[in-house]
């Protein structure tokens, strides 16, 4: 399939724009793996057979109210990573002036990618959205201590100072 091997990770606060949702559904149908980290409102439904079966949606709500918006696109081996001020909502996309810029420095890009993957691993403060629109709390593997992306990021920052 066209999208096989493709991977998209998007970290935003809200996803309600119909055109963006339809675009993500088409990418899923083409075989692209899509991981969405959406802190708040999400109108997309993951896991619908034949529509969004390649899409996972999770929300990580922890100690910090985060506002970062990150877009990761991998088609081959060299991913594109962009940061933005906009959520994928009508008010942000059509009624405001927003900015989106690429992370060109490889070291910084790799750090942003590692942070995104950290949020996908979180099993202490994460909730997963299902096809019905219900949220289920993530649970650590049996006999595992669990992993918090925010706690890990805090520890990294403490070590670097």
């Amino acid at each position: 399939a066209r999208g096989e091997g493709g991977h998209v990770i998007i970290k935003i606060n809200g996803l309600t724009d119909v055109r963006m949702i339809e675009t993500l559904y088409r990418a899923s149908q083409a075989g692209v793996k899509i991981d969405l980290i959406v802190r708040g409102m999400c109108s997309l439904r993951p896991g619908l057979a034949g529509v969004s079966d390649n899409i996972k949606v999770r929300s990580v709500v922890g100690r910090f109210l985060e506002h970062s918006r990150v877009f990761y696109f991998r088609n081959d081996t060299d991913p594109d990573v962009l940061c933005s001020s906009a959520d994928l909502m009508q008010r942000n996309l059509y009624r405001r002036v927003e900015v989106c810029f690429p992370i060109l420095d490889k070291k910084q890009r790799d750090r942003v990618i590692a942070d995104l993957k950290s949020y996908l691993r979180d099993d202490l403060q994460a909730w997963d959205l299902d096809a019905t629109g219900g949220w289920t709390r993530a649970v650590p593997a049996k006999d595992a201590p669990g992993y918090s992306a925010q706690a890990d990021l805090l520890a990294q920052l403490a070590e670097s100072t």
Side-chain angles (χ1 to χ4, degrees), residues 113-122 147-149 152-153:
I113 293 169
D115 289 351
L116 286 173
K117 291 182 178 180
S118 174
Y119 276 88
L120 294 174
R121 284 186 22 228
D122 193 305
Y147 176 79
S148 166
D152 187 46
L153 292 171

Side-chain angles (χ1 to χ4, degrees), residues 1 16 20 22 27 30 35 40 43-44 47 58 65 73 77 80 82 84 103 106 113 115 119 129 151 159 161:
T16 59
M20 288 294 166
E22 290 171 350
D35 287 299
S43 299
L44 179 144
R58 90 177 346 207
L65 176 59
F73 303 97
T77 56
D80 291 318
L82 302 106
S84 174
I103 305 297
K106 183 177 177 358
I113 293 169
D115 289 351
Y119 276 88
L129 184 63
E159 289 173 12
T161 57

Side-chain angles (χ1 to χ4, degrees), residues 33-107:
K33 178 184 174 188
I34 301 169
D35 287 299
L36 304 174
I37 305 161
V38 184
R39 181 173 171 78
M41 290 188 302
C42 183
S43 299
L44 179 144
R45 292 295 171 255
L48 296 172
V51 176
S52 59
D53 24 19
N54 289 317
I55 302 176
K56 293 181 182 175
V57 178
R58 90 177 346 207
S59 178
V60 178
V61 180
R63 177 177 173 187
F64 304 108
L65 176 59
E66 297 187 59
H67 290 284
S68 62
R69 284 97 172 168
V70 182
F71 300 86
Y72 165 93
F73 303 97
R74 189 195 74 222
N75 193 12
D76 293 316
T77 56
D78 196 24
D80 291 318
V81 177
L82 302 106
C83 289
S84 174
S85 61
D87 288 309
L88 299 181
M89 303 171 75
Q90 283 187 325
R91 71 177 184 218
N92 296 92
L93 297 172
Y94 309 113
R95 293 193 294 274
R96 292 183 180 173
V97 175
E98 302 278 1
V99 66
C100 184
F101 56 93
I103 305 297
L104 300 175
D105 180 79
K106 183 177 177 358
K107 182 179 175 184

